[in-house]
Amino acid sequence: MSTIINDIEIIKAETSKIKDIDFDNLKFGSVFSDHMLECDFKDGKWQKPKIVPYHPITLDPSAKIFHYGQSVFEGMKAYKDTNNDVFLFRPTDNIKRLNISAKRMAIPELPENYFMDGLKALLKVDEAWIPTNEGSSLYIRPFIFASGNGFHASPANEYKFIICTAPSGSYFSGKVKVLIEETYSRSANGGVGFAKAGGNYAGQFYPTQLAIDKGYQQVIWTDDNTHEYIEEAGAMNIFVRINDTLITGPTSDRILDGITRKSIIAIAESKGIPVEVRKITVKEVVDAAKNGELKEMFGAGTAAVISPIAGFGYKNEDFDLPELKETYASLLKKQITDIQTNKSEDSFGWRYKL
Protein backbone atom coordinates (compact mmCIF):
# COMPACT_ATOMS: atom_id res chain seq x y z
CA MET A 1 0.00 0.00 0.00
CA SER A 2 1.32 3.43 -0.97
CA THR A 3 0.68 6.64 1.01
CA ILE A 4 2.17 10.15 1.12
CA ILE A 5 3.76 11.96 4.12
CA ASN A 6 5.54 15.31 3.66
CA ASP A 7 5.30 14.80 -0.11
CA ILE A 8 7.24 11.53 0.31
CA GLU A 9 5.84 8.32 -1.16
CA ILE A 10 5.60 5.51 1.37
CA ILE A 11 5.34 1.89 0.32
CA LYS A 12 4.62 -0.19 3.40
CA ALA A 13 5.84 -3.70 4.08
CA GLU A 14 3.16 -6.37 3.70
CA THR A 15 4.00 -7.83 7.10
CA SER A 16 5.97 -6.50 10.06
CA LYS A 17 8.92 -8.29 11.70
CA ILE A 18 8.37 -6.52 15.01
CA LYS A 19 6.46 -9.37 16.66
CA ASP A 20 9.59 -11.53 16.42
CA ILE A 21 11.87 -9.03 18.18
CA ASP A 22 12.92 -9.39 21.82
CA PHE A 23 13.19 -5.75 22.88
CA ASP A 24 14.61 -6.79 26.26
CA ASN A 25 17.70 -8.29 24.60
CA LEU A 26 18.75 -6.01 21.76
CA LYS A 27 22.30 -6.16 20.47
CA PHE A 28 23.54 -2.90 19.04
CA GLY A 29 22.87 -2.48 15.32
CA SER A 30 21.94 -6.08 14.54
CA VAL A 31 18.12 -5.92 14.24
CA PHE A 32 16.60 -3.70 11.56
CA SER A 33 13.23 -2.01 11.34
CA ASP A 34 10.59 -2.70 8.70
CA HIS A 35 11.32 0.25 6.40
CA MET A 36 14.11 2.43 5.03
CA LEU A 37 14.36 5.67 3.11
CA GLU A 38 15.91 5.72 -0.35
CA CYS A 39 16.85 8.66 -2.55
CA ASP A 40 18.89 8.58 -5.78
CA PHE A 41 21.13 11.20 -7.33
CA LYS A 42 21.07 11.00 -11.12
CA ASP A 43 20.88 13.34 -14.10
CA GLY A 44 22.70 15.93 -12.02
CA LYS A 45 20.18 16.22 -9.18
CA TRP A 46 18.73 14.44 -6.16
CA GLN A 47 15.44 12.72 -6.98
CA LYS A 48 12.45 12.64 -4.66
CA PRO A 49 12.97 10.43 -1.56
CA LYS A 50 10.70 7.48 -0.89
CA ILE A 51 10.17 5.06 1.97
CA VAL A 52 10.16 1.38 1.11
CA PRO A 53 10.36 -1.96 2.92
CA TYR A 54 13.85 -2.79 4.22
CA HIS A 55 15.53 -4.78 1.46
CA PRO A 56 18.91 -5.77 -0.02
CA ILE A 57 20.56 -3.42 -2.53
CA THR A 58 21.54 -4.63 -6.01
CA LEU A 59 24.58 -2.96 -7.56
CA ASP A 60 26.63 -3.47 -10.69
CA PRO A 61 30.11 -4.93 -9.99
CA SER A 62 31.57 -1.76 -11.51
CA ALA A 63 29.73 0.53 -9.06
CA LYS A 64 32.33 3.03 -7.92
CA ILE A 65 31.67 2.48 -4.22
CA PHE A 66 33.47 -0.85 -4.61
CA HIS A 67 36.53 0.62 -6.31
CA TYR A 68 37.04 4.18 -5.06
CA GLY A 69 35.28 4.19 -1.70
CA GLN A 70 33.02 7.22 -2.07
CA SER A 71 30.83 6.79 1.00
CA VAL A 72 29.88 8.87 4.02
CA PHE A 73 27.51 8.24 6.90
CA GLU A 74 26.03 9.62 10.08
CA GLY A 75 24.94 8.14 13.40
CA MET A 76 22.01 9.42 15.45
CA LYS A 77 19.19 8.14 17.65
CA ALA A 78 15.46 8.51 18.27
CA TYR A 79 14.05 8.25 21.79
CA LYS A 80 10.65 7.86 23.44
CA ASP A 81 9.70 9.40 26.76
CA THR A 82 7.18 8.03 29.25
CA ASN A 83 4.35 9.64 27.26
CA ASN A 84 5.50 7.87 24.09
CA ASP A 85 6.50 11.18 22.52
CA VAL A 86 9.41 10.83 20.08
CA PHE A 87 12.54 12.97 20.18
CA LEU A 88 15.76 13.43 18.23
CA PHE A 89 18.98 15.02 19.52
CA ARG A 90 20.54 17.84 17.50
CA PRO A 91 19.46 16.37 14.12
CA THR A 92 20.33 19.46 12.08
CA ASP A 93 23.94 19.02 13.20
CA ASN A 94 23.89 15.58 11.59
CA ILE A 95 22.74 16.79 8.17
CA LYS A 96 25.27 19.64 8.27
CA ARG A 97 28.07 17.23 9.10
CA LEU A 98 26.87 14.73 6.48
CA ASN A 99 27.19 17.43 3.84
CA ILE A 100 30.62 18.51 5.13
CA SER A 101 31.71 14.88 4.75
CA ALA A 102 30.04 14.57 1.35
CA LYS A 103 31.77 17.67 0.00
CA ARG A 104 35.19 16.36 1.05
CA MET A 105 34.50 13.06 -0.72
CA ALA A 106 33.25 14.78 -3.91
CA ILE A 107 29.69 13.56 -3.28
CA PRO A 108 26.79 15.91 -4.12
CA GLU A 109 25.42 17.59 -1.00
CA LEU A 110 21.93 16.56 0.07
CA PRO A 111 19.13 19.13 0.54
CA GLU A 112 18.42 19.53 4.25
CA ASN A 113 14.66 19.17 3.79
CA TYR A 114 15.16 15.80 2.05
CA PHE A 115 17.02 14.62 5.13
CA MET A 116 14.72 16.06 7.78
CA ASP A 117 11.36 15.43 6.07
CA GLY A 118 12.45 11.96 5.01
CA LEU A 119 13.67 11.07 8.49
CA LYS A 120 10.48 12.33 10.14
CA ALA A 121 8.33 10.36 7.71
CA LEU A 122 10.41 7.21 8.25
CA LEU A 123 10.15 7.50 12.03
CA LYS A 124 6.41 8.02 11.82
CA VAL A 125 6.03 4.83 9.79
CA ASP A 126 8.29 2.80 12.11
CA GLU A 127 7.43 4.55 15.38
CA ALA A 128 6.58 1.23 17.04
CA TRP A 129 10.23 0.22 16.59
CA ILE A 130 11.49 2.92 18.96
CA PRO A 131 12.22 1.08 22.25
CA THR A 132 11.02 2.31 25.60
CA ASN A 133 13.40 0.17 27.69
CA GLU A 134 15.86 2.10 29.86
CA GLY A 135 19.10 2.67 27.98
CA SER A 136 17.62 1.63 24.63
CA SER A 137 16.91 3.76 21.58
CA LEU A 138 16.34 3.55 17.84
CA TYR A 139 19.74 3.91 16.21
CA ILE A 140 19.55 5.80 12.90
CA ARG A 141 22.11 5.32 10.13
CA PRO A 142 21.92 7.80 7.22
CA PHE A 143 24.53 7.16 4.51
CA ILE A 144 25.43 8.10 0.94
CA PHE A 145 27.50 6.04 -1.46
CA ALA A 146 28.55 6.05 -5.11
CA SER A 147 26.20 3.83 -7.12
CA GLY A 148 27.33 5.00 -10.57
CA ASN A 149 29.29 2.53 -12.68
CA GLY A 150 32.75 2.59 -14.21
CA PHE A 151 36.37 1.66 -13.57
CA HIS A 152 37.71 5.13 -14.35
CA ALA A 153 39.22 6.78 -11.27
CA SER A 154 36.83 9.73 -10.99
CA PRO A 155 33.77 10.71 -8.95
CA ALA A 156 30.62 8.78 -9.78
CA ASN A 157 27.72 10.36 -11.66
CA GLU A 158 25.10 8.57 -9.57
CA TYR A 159 24.71 8.18 -5.81
CA LYS A 160 22.27 6.64 -3.36
CA PHE A 161 21.16 8.12 -0.03
CA ILE A 162 19.62 5.70 2.46
CA ILE A 163 18.42 5.90 6.04
CA CYS A 164 18.12 2.61 7.94
CA THR A 165 17.13 2.22 11.58
CA ALA A 166 17.91 -0.39 14.21
CA PRO A 167 16.37 -0.71 17.69
CA SER A 168 19.34 -1.11 19.98
CA GLY A 169 20.35 -1.57 23.57
CA SER A 170 23.49 -0.13 25.15
CA TYR A 171 26.54 0.01 22.87
CA PHE A 172 29.17 -0.75 25.51
CA SER A 173 28.95 -2.38 28.90
CA GLY A 174 31.48 -1.53 31.54
CA LYS A 175 34.84 0.19 31.26
CA VAL A 176 37.41 -0.53 28.57
CA LYS A 177 41.18 -0.84 28.61
CA VAL A 178 42.96 0.95 25.77
CA LEU A 179 46.38 0.99 24.12
CA ILE A 180 48.00 4.28 23.11
CA GLU A 181 49.08 3.84 19.50
CA GLU A 182 52.75 4.40 18.69
CA THR A 183 52.93 3.28 15.04
CA TYR A 184 49.67 3.55 13.13
CA SER A 185 47.58 6.67 12.50
CA ARG A 186 43.87 7.13 12.08
CA SER A 187 44.23 10.18 9.83
CA ALA A 188 46.68 12.78 8.57
CA ASN A 189 46.90 16.50 7.93
CA GLY A 190 45.05 17.41 4.76
CA GLY A 191 43.25 14.06 4.79
CA VAL A 192 39.66 13.04 5.48
CA GLY A 193 39.86 12.40 9.23
CA PHE A 194 37.23 15.07 9.95
CA ALA A 195 34.73 13.39 7.60
CA LYS A 196 32.58 10.41 8.53
CA ALA A 197 33.89 8.45 5.58
CA GLY A 198 33.69 4.68 5.62
CA GLY A 199 37.38 4.23 4.80
CA ASN A 200 38.40 6.05 7.98
CA TYR A 201 36.88 3.25 10.01
CA ALA A 202 38.16 0.43 7.80
CA GLY A 203 41.68 1.72 8.34
CA GLN A 204 41.25 1.43 12.10
CA PHE A 205 40.36 -2.23 12.19
CA TYR A 206 43.83 -3.74 11.73
CA PRO A 207 45.64 -1.69 14.43
CA THR A 208 42.67 -2.21 16.74
CA GLN A 209 42.89 -5.98 16.27
CA LEU A 210 46.59 -5.84 17.13
CA ALA A 211 45.63 -4.08 20.37
CA ILE A 212 42.93 -6.67 21.08
CA ASP A 213 45.49 -9.41 20.59
CA LYS A 214 47.51 -7.77 23.37
CA GLY A 215 44.56 -7.76 25.76
CA TYR A 216 43.12 -4.28 25.16
CA GLN A 217 39.67 -3.41 23.85
CA GLN A 218 40.47 -0.24 21.92
CA VAL A 219 43.16 2.08 20.61
CA ILE A 220 43.93 5.66 21.58
CA TRP A 221 44.97 7.32 18.34
CA THR A 222 47.88 9.74 18.28
CA ASP A 223 48.96 12.32 15.70
CA ASP A 224 50.34 11.04 12.41
CA ASN A 225 53.61 12.98 12.55
CA THR A 226 55.18 12.45 15.98
CA HIS A 227 52.69 10.24 17.86
CA GLU A 228 53.16 12.67 20.75
CA TYR A 229 49.58 13.94 20.94
CA ILE A 230 46.42 12.08 21.90
CA GLU A 231 43.62 12.62 19.38
CA GLU A 232 40.76 10.10 19.48
CA ALA A 233 39.63 6.96 21.29
CA GLY A 234 38.76 4.24 18.81
CA ALA A 235 35.88 5.69 16.77
CA MET A 236 35.13 8.30 19.45
CA ASN A 237 36.37 11.67 20.61
CA ILE A 238 38.42 11.49 23.79
CA PHE A 239 38.30 13.42 27.06
CA VAL A 240 40.93 13.40 29.81
CA ARG A 241 40.39 14.62 33.38
CA ILE A 242 43.52 15.81 35.13
CA ASN A 243 42.68 16.79 38.70
CA ASP A 244 39.40 18.69 38.24
CA THR A 245 40.00 19.92 34.68
CA LEU A 246 38.41 18.23 31.68
CA ILE A 247 40.59 18.35 28.56
CA THR A 248 39.87 17.41 24.96
CA GLY A 249 41.79 18.02 21.75
CA PRO A 250 40.71 20.70 19.27
CA THR A 251 38.95 19.62 16.10
CA SER A 252 41.01 19.71 12.92
CA ASP A 253 41.13 18.00 9.56
CA ARG A 254 42.28 14.91 11.51
CA ILE A 255 39.62 14.90 14.24
CA LEU A 256 35.86 14.48 13.87
CA ASP A 257 33.70 17.35 15.10
CA GLY A 258 31.63 15.09 17.33
CA ILE A 259 28.10 16.16 18.27
CA THR A 260 28.37 14.37 21.62
CA ARG A 261 31.77 16.04 22.10
CA LYS A 262 30.26 19.50 21.62
CA SER A 263 27.41 18.66 23.97
CA ILE A 264 29.78 17.45 26.71
CA ILE A 265 31.82 20.64 26.52
CA ALA A 266 28.70 22.82 26.77
CA ILE A 267 27.20 20.87 29.68
CA ALA A 268 30.49 20.72 31.57
CA GLU A 269 30.95 24.48 31.25
CA SER A 270 27.36 25.07 32.40
CA LYS A 271 28.10 22.98 35.51
CA GLY A 272 31.19 24.98 36.35
CA ILE A 273 33.60 22.21 35.39
CA PRO A 274 36.88 23.68 34.11
CA VAL A 275 37.22 22.71 30.42
CA GLU A 276 40.28 23.10 28.21
CA VAL A 277 40.18 22.49 24.46
CA ARG A 278 43.82 22.06 23.54
CA LYS A 279 46.39 19.57 22.40
CA ILE A 280 47.13 16.82 24.94
CA THR A 281 50.52 15.13 24.92
CA VAL A 282 50.93 11.46 25.70
CA LYS A 283 53.67 12.47 28.17
CA GLU A 284 51.23 14.71 30.03
CA VAL A 285 48.75 11.85 30.40
CA VAL A 286 51.42 9.33 31.46
CA ASP A 287 52.95 11.75 33.97
CA ALA A 288 49.50 12.54 35.39
CA ALA A 289 48.82 8.81 35.77
CA LYS A 290 52.12 8.30 37.57
CA ASN A 291 51.60 11.14 40.06
CA GLY A 292 47.92 10.44 40.72
CA GLU A 293 46.54 13.50 38.94
CA LEU A 294 44.85 11.53 36.13
CA LYS A 295 41.32 10.96 37.41
CA GLU A 296 39.36 9.94 34.31
CA MET A 297 39.54 9.20 30.62
CA PHE A 298 36.52 8.49 28.44
CA GLY A 299 35.40 8.28 24.84
CA ALA A 300 32.40 10.23 23.58
CA GLY A 301 30.18 9.43 20.61
CA THR A 302 26.60 8.85 19.48
CA ALA A 303 26.42 5.11 19.99
CA ALA A 304 27.79 4.84 23.53
CA VAL A 305 27.34 8.52 24.52
CA ILE A 306 30.23 8.14 27.00
CA SER A 307 32.48 5.10 27.37
CA PRO A 308 34.69 5.18 30.50
CA ILE A 309 38.29 4.00 30.22
CA ALA A 310 39.56 1.86 33.10
CA GLY A 311 43.22 1.96 32.14
CA PHE A 312 45.70 2.32 29.31
CA GLY A 313 48.89 0.80 28.04
CA TYR A 314 51.89 2.64 26.65
CA LYS A 315 55.41 1.41 25.84
CA ASN A 316 54.83 -1.97 27.49
CA GLU A 317 53.59 -0.39 30.72
CA ASP A 318 50.01 -0.43 32.01
CA PHE A 319 48.33 2.32 34.01
CA ASP A 320 45.08 1.88 35.93
CA LEU A 321 42.77 4.80 36.56
CA PRO A 322 41.27 5.28 40.03
CA GLU A 323 37.77 4.09 40.77
CA LEU A 324 35.89 7.21 41.85
CA LYS A 325 32.47 7.29 43.50
CA GLU A 326 31.45 10.38 41.54
CA THR A 327 32.80 10.86 38.03
CA TYR A 328 32.47 13.46 35.33
CA ALA A 329 31.68 10.62 32.93
CA SER A 330 28.58 9.48 34.83
CA LEU A 331 27.43 13.04 35.55
CA LEU A 332 27.76 14.17 31.93
CA LYS A 333 26.25 11.01 30.48
CA LYS A 334 23.20 11.36 32.72
CA GLN A 335 22.81 15.01 31.77
CA ILE A 336 22.90 14.18 28.05
CA THR A 337 20.64 11.13 28.21
CA ASP A 338 18.12 12.95 30.41
CA ILE A 339 17.88 15.67 27.77
CA GLN A 340 17.64 13.10 24.97
CA THR A 341 14.82 11.18 26.68
CA ASN A 342 12.90 14.25 27.91
CA LYS A 343 13.63 13.57 31.58
CA SER A 344 15.06 17.02 32.21
CA GLU A 345 14.85 20.59 30.98
CA ASP A 346 16.75 21.29 27.77
CA SER A 347 18.20 24.75 28.26
CA PHE A 348 20.40 24.31 25.17
CA GLY A 349 17.60 23.75 22.65
CA TRP A 350 19.04 20.42 21.48
CA ARG A 351 15.97 18.21 21.86
CA TYR A 352 13.86 17.95 18.71
CA LYS A 353 10.29 16.70 19.13
CA LEU A 354 8.67 14.91 16.23
Side-chain angles (χ1 to χ4, degrees):
M1 184 179 72
S2 176
T3 57
I4 303 291
I5 296 180
N6 293 334
D7 199 34
I8 295 172
E9 182 183 8
I10 297 170
I11 302 170
K12 289 194 174 181
E14 293 184 5
T15 58
S16 175
K17 303 171 291 186
I18 198 167
K19 63 182 183 299
D20 300 321
I21 306 304
D22 181 2
F23 279 86
D24 292 323
N25 294 286
L26 291 170
K27 290 184 179 180
F28 182 84
S30 59
V31 173
F32 304 100
S33 311
D34 286 328
H35 300 89
M36 65 191 214
L37 180 138
E38 275 189 323
C39 183
D40 291 310
F41 181 92
K42 59 183 180 180
D43 301 325
K45 63 181 181 180
W46 285 103
Q47 308 299 305
K48 188 172 289 189
K50 61 182 178 180
I51 291 169
V52 296
Y54 185 91
H55 67 93
I57 301 167
T58 301
L59 291 171
D60 192 282
S62 68
K64 291 200 173 186
I65 177 59
F66 299 134
H67 307 280
Y68 305 113
Q70 275 184 289
S71 70
V72 295
F73 70 95
E74 275 297 315
M76 51 197 305
K77 292 177 179 179
Y79 311 85
K80 273 184 181 174
D81 67 5
T82 54
N83 295 320
N84 280 328
D85 289 326
V86 178
F87 298 90
L88 297 169
F89 184 72
R90 306 185 72 167
T92 56
D93 285 11
N94 289 103
I95 176 56
K96 288 175 184 175
R97 191 172 63 182
L98 183 69
N99 279 333
I100 288 170
S101 299
K103 185 176 182 179
R104 180 61 180 85
M105 300 300 289
I107 294 172
E109 295 177 48
L110 182 77
E112 184 172 322
N113 64 307
Y114 279 36
F115 182 95
M116 291 301 299
D117 290 348
L119 177 56
K120 288 187 283 188
L122 178 61
L123 293 178
K124 186 167 185 177
V125 171
D126 278 344
E127 185 175 334
W129 285 86
I130 305 173
T132 56
N133 309 52
E134 188 71 25
S136 296
S137 59
L138 185 71
Y139 186 77
I140 302 166
R141 173 53 60 87
F143 59 103
I144 307 173
F145 63 90
S147 55
N149 302 336
F151 290 149
H152 189 267
S154 62
N157 60 358
E158 294 185 0
Y159 298 85
K160 190 176 284 289
F161 168 58
I162 291 176
I163 303 178
C164 296
T165 63
S168 298
S170 298
Y171 188 62
F172 289 121
S173 59
K175 294 183 178 182
V176 297
K177 191 176 178 183
V178 299
L179 179 67
I180 295 179
E181 183 56 53
E182 301 175 57
T183 303
Y184 295 96
S185 298
R186 175 189 173 274
S187 58
N189 289 328
V192 296
F194 68 91
K196 284 189 74 70
N200 286 345
Y201 297 80
Q204 295 183 31
F205 296 155
Y206 176 67
T208 301
Q209 185 58 54
L210 295 179
I212 291 171
D213 293 342
K214 294 178 181 178
Y216 302 90
Q217 285 80 49
Q218 261 302 348
V219 167
I220 295 292
W221 300 106
T222 51
D223 69 286
D224 64 304
N225 187 25
T226 65
H227 295 288
E228 293 177 1
Y229 296 95
I230 281 175
E231 296 200 331
E232 293 202 340
M236 310 175 79
N237 295 120
I238 188 167
F239 285 81
V240 174
R241 176 185 172 184
I242 296 179
N243 291 322
D244 290 331
T245 301
L246 195 61
I247 311 167
T248 191
T251 55
S252 66
D253 53 10
R254 298 190 310 276
I255 298 177
L256 184 72
D257 186 12
I259 295 168
T260 306
R261 172 189 176 276
K262 292 188 288 191
S263 304
I264 287 171
I265 292 170
I267 291 173
E269 290 176 340
S270 75
K271 296 291 182 185
I273 296 172
V275 178
E276 295 180 3
V277 179
R278 62 171 174 81
K279 289 185 175 181
I280 316 165
T281 65
V282 176
K283 183 179 185 304
E284 182 180 7
V285 172
V286 171
D287 287 348
K290 287 180 177 178
N291 63 30
E293 293 179 345
L294 182 63
K295 306 301 183 184
E296 294 181 70
M297 294 173 67
F298 55 84
T302 298
V305 184
I306 288 176
S307 180
I309 293 170
F312 67 90
Y314 182 64
K315 290 189 180 298
N316 298 316
E317 189 174 1
D318 284 334
F319 301 88
D320 293 323
L321 274 73
E323 293 190 11
L324 306 177
K325 289 184 178 180
E326 296 181 358
T327 64
Y328 286 174
S330 58
L331 169 67
L332 295 166
K333 182 172 183 176
K334 185 177 188 305
Q335 290 290 319
I336 291 176
T337 56
D338 281 356
I339 291 173
Q340 291 170 335
T341 55
N342 197 31
K343 291 179 181 177
S344 69
E345 181 183 349
D346 176 18
S347 59
F348 303 96
W350 294 334
R351 192 166 52 227
Y352 184 98
K353 185 177 180 180
L354 265 65

